[in-house]
Amino acid sequence: MTRITLHATEPEDDAAGVLYRALRRDVEFPFVSVAEGDDYEVVREDGAPDTPGGVVLIDPFEVPAGEDDAFLAGWDADRPVLAQQQGYLGARLHRATGPAEFRFVELARWSSPLMVQRAAAKGALYQPV
């Protein structure tokens, strides 16, 4: 189980986990913290998302109630395409365990921002602070 918190400003104290900072300043959530908690459960994993280095593409998804199966089918269908992209290392998809603004949050590891751009992947890029 994981706690994922998207922040509009830098949090004062988040020592319990990893704090990520967006590479661009114009993203909606410039900081994201990931720690142990019970807010999200892992529902899909692909490749090696814990590989050190590179960048993390963090993509929150608003999925309406009752649409989880269709969303997960789409996520599963995209994996073989992404796995063939140079620089893609792996991804982990989390689903909220209770009410949340974003029902799903994906954390995908890429070797570099250039490889994300070449693959035309969506989402904001982050590095650990």
Side-chain angles (χ1 to χ4, degrees):
M1 300 293 278
T2 306
R3 178 177 51 87
I4 301 172
T5 310
L6 296 103
H7 303 276
T9 60
E10 185 171 3
E12 290 183 26
D13 181 28
D14 200 46
V18 177
L19 180 64
Y20 292 92
R21 182 182 64 226
L23 297 182
R24 293 181 16 207
R25 294 178 187 245
D26 62 342
V27 300
E28 185 175 1
F29 302 104
F31 296 92
V32 176
S33 60
V34 179
E36 289 186 28
D38 58 2
D39 299 343
Y40 286 88
E41 62 183 343
V42 175
V43 291
R44 297 286 192 277
E45 189 169 318
D46 178 59
D50 294 327
T51 301
V55 294
V56 177
L57 182 77
I58 300 176
D59 202 0
F61 297 97
E62 294 180 47
V63 177
E67 298 294 320
D68 287 9
D69 290 341
F71 175 78
L72 290 170
W75 196 87
D76 291 339
D78 286 345
R79 291 309 102 197
V81 174
L82 283 174
Q84 294 176 1
Q85 300 297 315
Q86 182 180 2
Y88 174 77
L89 301 172
R92 189 171 286 127
L93 182 65
H94 302 264
R95 177 175 45 207
T97 57
E101 180 178 2
F102 299 105
R103 295 252 315 119
F104 291 89
V105 179
E106 176 186 47
L107 282 76
R109 174 117 16 218
W110 289 80
S111 62
S112 71
L114 176 62
M115 294 298 109
V116 174
Q117 181 182 16
R118 285 184 177 171
K122 306 287 187 227
L125 291 175
Y126 293 80
Q127 286 186 318
V129 174

